[in-house]
């Protein structure tokens, strides 16, 4: 089986394990559900990269999220009684 050596790797749902290694061409063996990859970054670098991406995704999601139910505001009509819209 031929080794697949990657410059970079994004941790995803198929990632089962990140195994550190001391090979001269790569620093991590990535075990996925259906394949084994070799990456030129350390496991810690890959984890930090994934955490950074996750926090960026969450901050964008928070800024663009819509409330599930709009809030009701009380308005007053001319006669002075209040109504809910």
């Amino acid at each position: 089986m031929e080794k697949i050596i990657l410059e970079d790797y994004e941790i995803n749902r198929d990632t089962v394990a990140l195994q550190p290694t001391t090979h001269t061409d790569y620093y991590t063996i990535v075990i996925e559900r259906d394949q084994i990859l070799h990456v030129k970054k350390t496991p810690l670098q890959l984890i930090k990269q994934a955490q950074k991406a996750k926090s960026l995704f969450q901050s964008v999601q928070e800024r663009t999220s819509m409330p599930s139910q709009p809030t009701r505001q009380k308005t007053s009509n001319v006669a002075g009684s209040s109504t809910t819209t």
Side-chain angles (χ1 to χ4, degrees):
M1 185 164 102
E2 185 179 331
K3 287 184 183 179
I4 301 171
I5 300 176
L6 304 172
E7 292 288 330
D8 198 6
Y9 176 80
E10 186 173 315
I11 296 172
N12 58 66
R13 292 178 185 212
D14 292 328
T15 308
V16 176
L18 303 174
Q19 180 179 350
T21 186
T22 55
H23 197 277
T24 57
D25 293 334
Y26 52 88
Y27 298 107
T28 303
I29 298 172
V30 177
I31 301 170
E32 287 193 336
R33 292 180 187 174
D34 58 351
Q35 64 182 342
I36 295 176
L37 307 167
H38 303 83
V39 183
K40 293 185 178 186
K41 289 187 174 183
T42 66
L44 185 58
Q45 288 173 317
L46 296 174
I47 292 167
K48 285 183 177 183
Q49 179 179 307
Q51 288 173 335
K52 185 176 178 183
K54 181 181 176 183
S55 68
L56 178 63
F57 174 77
Q58 287 175 336
S59 68
V60 168
Q61 192 176 28
E62 288 171 2
R63 285 186 271 144
T64 59
S65 67
M66 298 291 288
S68 58
Q69 293 182 352
T71 58
R72 297 182 147 219
Q73 297 177 353
K74 288 188 175 183
T75 59
S76 60
N77 60 13
V78 179
S81 64
S82 64
T83 59
T84 304
T85 58

